[in-house]
Amino acid sequence: MSIRLNPYLIFDGNAREAIHFYEKALGGQVMGIMTFGDMPEDPDHPLTDDMKGRVMHAQLKVGDADLMFSDTYPGMPYQPGDTVQIAIHPKDEARAREIFAALADGGQVVLPLQKTDWSPLYGIVKDKFGVTFQVNVPGEQPQE
């Protein structure tokens, strides 16, 4: 069974600054930065210009490891000390559902598993120990 894990660091509006700090400090390479403004607009949830500039998802390659980053979505609580999450990337949806259900047992579903613009199945769950996991089935990567 193949599964990949990586740290996911959460910031409150300064993720871009942190990405470039770690890029330099760790000798990493930025693989991509996507902002909330890069996503299709949702008339039910309009974004201000400040919100559009926040990092929704970024990846920094450091050696063989990946560090991932995002800013909080505007309006979501930000709790210093609760800023590291674990991202899990199972290869298929059935395994993602198993993992999500196991982590949710005694825990709390933060965002139910659902299709997104970047993944066929993505969700966030906090386990019974207070550790937050992002479960993400890899989707097709856009071609540039």
Side-chain angles (χ1 to χ4, degrees):
M1 162 179 47
S2 177
I3 191 167
R4 196 168 50 88
L5 301 169
N6 63 273
Y8 205 111
L9 308 175
I10 310 297
F11 296 87
D12 191 27
N14 60 342
R16 189 178 302 273
E17 177 185 352
I19 293 161
H20 293 298
F21 171 81
Y22 292 118
E23 176 186 29
K24 183 176 180 183
L26 303 174
Q29 179 183 4
V30 176
M31 303 306 290
I33 297 176
M34 180 185 295
T35 66
F36 286 104
D38 292 333
M39 296 303 296
E41 290 195 36
D42 181 349
D44 294 329
H45 299 94
L47 299 175
T48 65
D49 288 340
D50 176 58
M51 296 160 90
K52 289 178 182 178
R54 284 182 172 239
V55 173
M56 186 183 88
H57 176 75
Q59 179 182 358
L60 179 68
K61 187 67 125 174
V62 181
D64 291 334
D66 292 305
L67 282 177
M68 293 185 174
F69 301 79
S70 73
D71 284 312
T72 55
Y73 185 80
M76 289 189 70
Y78 176 77
Q79 180 67 38
D82 188 24
T83 57
V84 177
Q85 300 180 357
I86 305 296
I88 301 176
H89 309 279
K91 298 290 185 197
D92 63 76
E93 293 184 28
R95 184 67 179 130
R97 291 181 194 285
E98 286 175 16
I99 291 168
F100 195 87
L103 292 170
D105 186 18
Q108 172 193 3
V109 173
V110 177
L111 179 70
L113 285 170
Q114 59 192 271
K115 181 179 178 356
T116 65
D117 291 326
W118 67 89
S119 171
L121 201 61
Y122 173 82
I124 303 172
V125 61
K126 185 177 282 196
D127 72 12
K128 65 183 177 183
F129 301 105
V131 177
T132 301
F133 290 85
Q134 297 182 31
V135 178
N136 180 68
V137 175
E140 292 293 320
Q141 297 299 312
Q143 300 299 316
E144 297 199 19

